[in-house]
Amino acid sequence: MPDDIDRKVIELIAQKKKLDPATVTLDSTFEQLGVDSLDAADLLFTFEDDFKIVVPDEVATSMKNVRQVVDGVRQLLATRAEAG
Amino acid sequence: MRRVAVTGLGAVSALGVGVPAFWDGLTAGRSGVRRITAFDPSAYLVQVAAEVPSFDPTAHFDTAQSDLLDRFAQFALVAADEACRGAGLELTDTERSRAGVAIGSGLGGAATQDESYRKLYAQGLTRTHPFTIPRIMSNAAASHVSMRFGLRGPTLSLATACAAAAHAVGEAAEMIRAGRADVMLAGGAEAPVVPGVVRGWEAMRVLAPAPGGDPSRACRPFSRDRLGMVLGEGAGIVVLESWERAAARGAPILAELAGYAATSDAGHITQPGIESPARAIALALDQARLTPPDIDYVNAHGTGTRLNDSTETTIIKRAFGPAASRLAISATKAMHGHAMGASAALELIATVLAIRHGIVPPTINYAEPDPECDLDYVPNQARDMPIRAAVSNSFAFGGLNAVLVVRGV
């Protein structure tokens, strides 16, 4: 079942790329969604703003599909919660 | 068409002030990348840059002059002085009306802009200094150089990002070829190491952090473990003259600016193309009446980003065909940083000196071969070899490509 983070990430990507959110799945790759390197930097900036996280470059470079974004965001949120 | 001679060189870079410091650093494989000193970078993700070390404006200008000069224009004037001295350039009043300037700069007076905005928005001031605009404007460097030497021919500033100096030198050479000028001071100047600009580059996620806290290893062009580019600053200025004029006055002809071509990708605002850059190389070789086997050295655009270096390798293979595998290729940005609008001028100077001395500066910090970058990048050690002719590549954001061809004399 998709949770809030899944939904929010998909919503943000769909908004940015002017896509119907229903067509974006966890398995959609950046390539399939037409997300190039500049779009990716733009999206990361949006995720950082929206989730109040900082995405380090090494995490950012591992994000090539929606699931990797969601996993990355989830981990960073958990780290932030621990750091309190 | 008239031929174009290079008769003077001037450089201000992270390797020091002056061409000797620049060339010593390049051949020694020394990195000019250090922790940022222009501001406290502690809160920044990227804390290193290739800044000009211990540049003291008072050594070059009195306060009445320097008050009007942003750092990028100061660099340009110091480099232009050196280039004109080296060329032994003495122009009569009539000659000065047929001499001009072309200087590239991506940003113009970035430090002045950053500082004045900080005063307005952070400190809440309601006035900026009356010299703010004359210092910021992109043509300030070119105008000050024309004023310093009394050059009253065509003066231009070009703002084509990372290729600005190559466009400036190339277009200046075209003016001489076309007979619109006899002498041109051409090159680029940039001083982008200011908070707002560094933050902007950070956000694009193309800057290399300093691995293990060692800034000198940050930029690793063509190496599999490359992590990105490093911002630099400085200026490079060359004196270009019509061949007849230079020969008639017994000028020190250092090399021939034999070819230039500019093309555009008309594709993506940041991702490099392949076809148009390769075509720029081919067109520049055509103008120089050279073919791929005539070229011994390529000074690469070589920024050290994942995408640039693999794409440039493909571009070089496309343009040079089978001759690509015998080229010596190096990316000097690992040493002088990516000085944006000044880069191509510094790289042209490196190329001219490589030909004159028969030494190819190395690509430093090269640690591991990358299957996507499988040419000879002259790793880590300078190489002694005769160079008949060389190519300098510049491929800017915005898909703007400029290629210069230099021939030895």
Side-chain angles (χ1 to χ4, degrees), chain B residues 195-228:
Chain B
V197 175
V198 173
R199 283 297 195 202
W201 281 100
E202 262 185 6
M204 292 200 72
R205 295 176 182 270
V206 293
L207 293 185
D214 181 0
S216 71
R217 293 214 60 240
C219 186
R220 312 161 180 185
F222 299 107
S223 186
R224 187 176 188 154
D225 63 352
R226 64 189 180 276
L227 293 168

Side-chain angles (χ1 to χ4, degrees), chain B residues 65 102 123 141 158 196 209 275 321 325 333 361 389:
Chain B
Q65 293 170 314
Q123 297 180 353
L158 293 91
E275 210 50 59
S325 60
K333 284 188 176 79

